[in-house]
Amino acid sequence: MTSLLFWFQVIMAWTYMVPQVLQILHGKTRGLTLAMWLIFIGYLVVSLSLAILAWREKKEKIRLYTIIIFAQWTIFIAVLFTMCVGSVRWSTGDTTVCVAVTILSILTIIKNGLRDPMTRGWLAVWCKGVPQLWSAYVMLDTGSAEWLPGLSLLATNATAIPRLIQVYLQGKRGGWDRATKGLFVGESANVLTWTVVTIVWLVLTVF
């Protein structure tokens, strides 16, 4: 079951990546915010560090799989950001969102310290939840979701939910250490806010 879930996530990540790259190459970027992907990279680095900490606590295969998944997504999002940085306009709203995420992150670090895995979990919330909500707003504001292919949207949902399940199983089987709890908090925020993006995409594209 664990290996099946892992390979499913790998395949779905590529299912997201290929149509997204093609969309960008064809210049279809309306509704896209650069801040989202830039902050995502921060989220992924935080989550990757949490996954590594969790693996160090207990060197189980399921925890190693989590590391690989986050490493793959870090590379993918960095490539997408690099592809768009010269063609998508950076807005004042992007700056505001980045500043807000930075402030929330600093306050979180000051309160609990960076070494606490739960701090890193909340950093993942700010770096994933806030920009995804901003992305939903930008799509509504521009009246367009053309930057996001339907297959990429589906693949994101198909990877985010199993990843949350994988982290839950990791905690249930191996124990809810603070690193695993931090991962669970971050992934829960990811699923909830991407659901908002999905609803907005459906409103603009289908209805």
Side-chain angles (χ1 to χ4, degrees), residues 147-165:
W147 72 274
L148 182 57
L151 189 57
S152 295
L153 177 78
L154 179 63
T156 303
N157 282 295
T159 53
I161 295 171
R163 195 164 60 241
L164 178 60
I165 294 171

Side-chain angles (χ1 to χ4, degrees), residues 50 117-118 121 167 170-171 175-186:
L50 281 171
M118 284 302 295
V167 174
Q170 173 177 307
W176 288 98
D177 52 79
R178 290 185 69 79
T180 303
K181 286 181 180 178
L183 271 177
F184 188 74
V185 168

Side-chain angles (χ1 to χ4, degrees), residues 86-146:
S87 58
V88 178
R89 185 179 67 87
W90 182 273
S91 69
T92 303
D94 288 331
T95 301
T96 302
V97 169
C98 287
V99 170
V101 169
T102 300
I103 291 173
L104 288 169
S105 299
I106 291 172
L107 290 175
T108 302
I109 293 170
I110 290 173
K111 182 178 180 181
N112 298 316
L114 188 56
R115 292 186 178 182
D116 186 348
M118 284 302 295
T119 296
R120 300 191 188 190
W122 281 107
L123 290 179
V125 172
W126 310 140
C127 291
K128 190 71 171 179
V130 173
Q132 284 187 168
L133 292 176
W134 169 241
S135 177
Y137 170 79
V138 171
M139 288 193 293
L140 279 174
D141 186 54
T142 59
S144 176
E146 75 167 9

Side-chain angles (χ1 to χ4, degrees), residues 9-190:
Q9 290 184 78
V10 170
I11 293 169
M12 285 297 101
W14 280 98
T15 303
Y16 169 88
M17 186 66 173
V18 173
Q20 189 69 82
V21 167
L22 293 175
Q23 199 83 338
I24 294 170
L25 289 175
H26 285 93
K28 296 181 178 180
T29 57
R30 280 194 66 208
L32 174 63
T33 161
L34 281 177
M36 180 185 68
W37 280 340
L38 178 61
I39 299 172
F40 275 8
I41 294 171
Y43 155 79
L44 289 164
V45 169
V46 168
S47 295
L48 181 59
S49 68
L50 281 171
I52 292 172
L53 284 174
W55 180 73
R56 286 177 177 172
E57 289 284 341
K58 290 189 178 181
K59 295 184 178 180
E60 301 172 330
K61 182 180 287 187
I62 189 172
R63 299 189 179 212
L64 180 60
Y65 284 163
T66 303
I67 292 174
I68 294 171
I69 291 299
F70 280 120
Q72 176 181 245
W73 275 110
T74 302
I75 294 170
F76 281 2
I77 299 302
V79 168
L80 292 174
F81 177 79
T82 302
M83 290 179 66
C84 290
V85 73
S87 58
V88 178
R89 185 179 67 87
W90 182 273
S91 69
T92 303
D94 288 331
T95 301
T96 302
V97 169
C98 287
V99 170
V101 169
T102 300
I103 291 173
L104 288 169
S105 299
I106 291 172
L107 290 175
T108 302
I109 293 170
I110 290 173
K111 182 178 180 181
N112 298 316
L114 188 56
R115 292 186 178 182
D116 186 348
M118 284 302 295
T119 296
R120 300 191 188 190
W122 281 107
L123 290 179
V125 172
W126 310 140
C127 291
K128 190 71 171 179
V130 173
Q132 284 187 168
L133 292 176
W134 169 241
S135 177
Y137 170 79
V138 171
M139 288 193 293
L140 279 174
D141 186 54
T142 59
S144 176
E146 75 167 9
W147 72 274
L148 182 57
L151 189 57
S152 295
L153 177 78
L154 179 63
T156 303
N157 282 295
T159 53
I161 295 171
R163 195 164 60 241
L164 178 60
I165 294 171
Q166 181 172 322
V167 174
Y168 171 77
L169 292 175
Q170 173 177 307
K172 186 178 179 180
R173 293 176 183 176
W176 288 98
D177 52 79
R178 290 185 69 79
T180 303
K181 286 181 180 178
L183 271 177
F184 188 74
V185 168
E187 286 307 307
S188 296
N190 177 33

Side-chain angles (χ1 to χ4, degrees), residues 136 139 148 153 157 191 193-203:
M139 288 193 293
L148 182 57
L153 177 78
N157 282 295
V191 169
T193 54
W194 189 255
T195 299
V196 175
V197 173
T198 301
I199 292 170
V200 171
W201 188 92
L202 289 171
V203 169

